[in-house]
Amino acid sequence: MAGQDSDDEIVLSSSALDALKEFYAERDARQEQFAKLQAKAEEQHDLQQQKLSMEAFGEDWNESQFWYSDETANFLAKQLLLNATPDMTIGVVSAPSVFVALKNILNAASPEEPKPKLILLEHDNRFAVFPEFSFYDFAQPTKLPAHLKSSCDRIICDPPFLSEDCQTKAAITVNWLFKPTAADDKKLIVCTGERMEPLVTRLYKSVGLRTTDYDPVHARGLSNEFYCYANFESLGWKWREEK
């Protein structure tokens, strides 16, 4: 009978063992990167001058986290920064990779260049290492610090789930954040699934949101077709032709 227990043991092939070791090595490296970042924040070192990377924040698929590629994050950040002034505030809702890109661009800018304020609304408390962070749960769309209400001139939003409930509540948050100005004075980018198109264009009709021809790219790929919606055209995109 003692021999039966050993016969039931699972034996991994050498290639499977190598893949498992690689997975744990990458996970441990990310945790070490984040620990260093967190330590600097806790010691009140100046994170404003560092080159930041999303590699320190591994994706958690249970949180529906899918980071943009660096190229996409930088591109979207530049759209939000174009002609921005120091009295403006840019809100980033559930799109931390764009927030990191914004931080890097502003950190690298000369002191003379205008720098708008940033805020980050995010469910993942790891991003609390940044002073601009506020915890955000889309299920409670306006349970946020009171001073953030009517504070934003420009917003990017990437709702975490492709559901009507999530998209609708994210829109409530966006509306709550925007300054009470004319629609033409607001800049809005929403990145979400192609199948959400009828819903999001309806939810943000008051600010003129439309579907662009820009296709966001995720660092590790994404099976769902993803669209970029905006209420303004830019050199980087035009309106997508209606089907």
Side-chain angles (χ1 to χ4, degrees):
M1 295 292 291
Q4 184 175 355
D5 291 336
S6 61
D7 290 342
D8 291 340
E9 291 179 358
I10 298 174
V11 179
L12 296 176
S13 67
S14 59
S15 60
L17 282 170
D18 289 342
L20 191 60
K21 288 177 183 176
E22 184 179 355
F23 169 79
Y24 283 121
E26 289 181 357
R27 183 199 63 181
D28 292 345
R30 285 196 300 268
Q31 288 177 343
E32 184 179 356
Q33 277 184 297
F34 178 72
K36 289 179 180 178
L37 186 67
Q38 188 174 35
K40 287 183 178 180
E42 289 172 352
E43 293 170 10
Q44 297 185 340
H45 283 197
D46 190 5
L47 286 179
Q48 306 305 317
Q49 304 307 318
Q50 287 192 61
K51 173 72 175 177
L52 305 169
S53 171
M54 289 302 291
E55 287 297 319
F57 304 92
E59 295 172 339
D60 183 349
W61 292 355
N62 290 323
E63 292 268 359
S64 190
Q65 290 179 337
F66 304 94
W67 305 150
Y68 298 128
S69 67
D70 288 345
E71 181 181 0
T72 289
N74 284 317
F75 173 82
L76 293 171
K78 288 174 182 176
Q79 307 312 305
L80 293 164
L81 288 171
L82 186 65
N83 298 324
T85 58
D87 61 335
M88 289 183 175
T89 297
I90 297 175
V92 182
V93 182
S94 302
S97 50
V98 176
F99 172 78
V100 167
L102 284 164
K103 291 278 286 185
N104 283 333
I105 293 170
L106 292 176
N107 289 348
S110 68
E112 295 77 23
E113 292 187 53
K115 295 182 179 181
K117 301 180 186 69
L118 302 179
I119 64 169
L120 171 65
L121 305 189
E122 173 56 43
H123 191 266
D124 188 342
N125 276 303
R126 291 179 298 170
F127 291 93
V129 295
F130 299 109
E132 299 92 343
F133 168 88
S134 292
F135 177 78
Y136 174 62
D137 180 354
F138 79 85
Q140 302 180 82
T142 59
K143 190 177 181 180
L144 294 162
H147 71 275
L148 296 181
K149 184 176 182 181
S150 303
S151 65
C152 293
D153 303 271
R154 301 176 177 191
I155 296 175
I156 182 167
C157 179
D158 183 346
F161 300 103
L162 301 181
S163 69
E164 182 171 353
D165 179 60
C166 179
Q167 301 283 334
T168 301
K169 287 175 177 171
I172 292 172
T173 302
V174 168
N175 185 61
W176 186 87
L177 289 171
F178 262 136
K179 289 179 180 177
T181 56
D184 290 345
D185 295 329
K186 301 171 182 176
K187 274 195 173 182
L188 174 62
I189 301 172
V190 178
C191 294
T192 190
E194 174 268 341
R195 63 188 176 92
M196 293 288 103
E197 182 177 28
L199 177 62
V200 295
T201 50
R202 175 169 58 82
L203 288 171
Y204 302 101
K205 185 177 181 180
S206 63
V207 293
L209 193 81
R210 294 175 61 182
T211 311
T212 75
D213 60 3
Y214 177 71
D215 295 321
V217 175
H218 292 80
R220 299 181 185 272
L222 196 64
S223 58
N224 298 311
E225 190 172 1
F226 220 71
Y227 276 3
C228 175
Y229 307 86
N231 71 335
F232 61 97
E233 286 189 290
S234 78
L235 294 176
W237 63 55
K238 297 189 181 301
W239 303 130
R240 188 180 294 267
E241 293 183 7
E242 295 184 7
K243 297 178 181 178

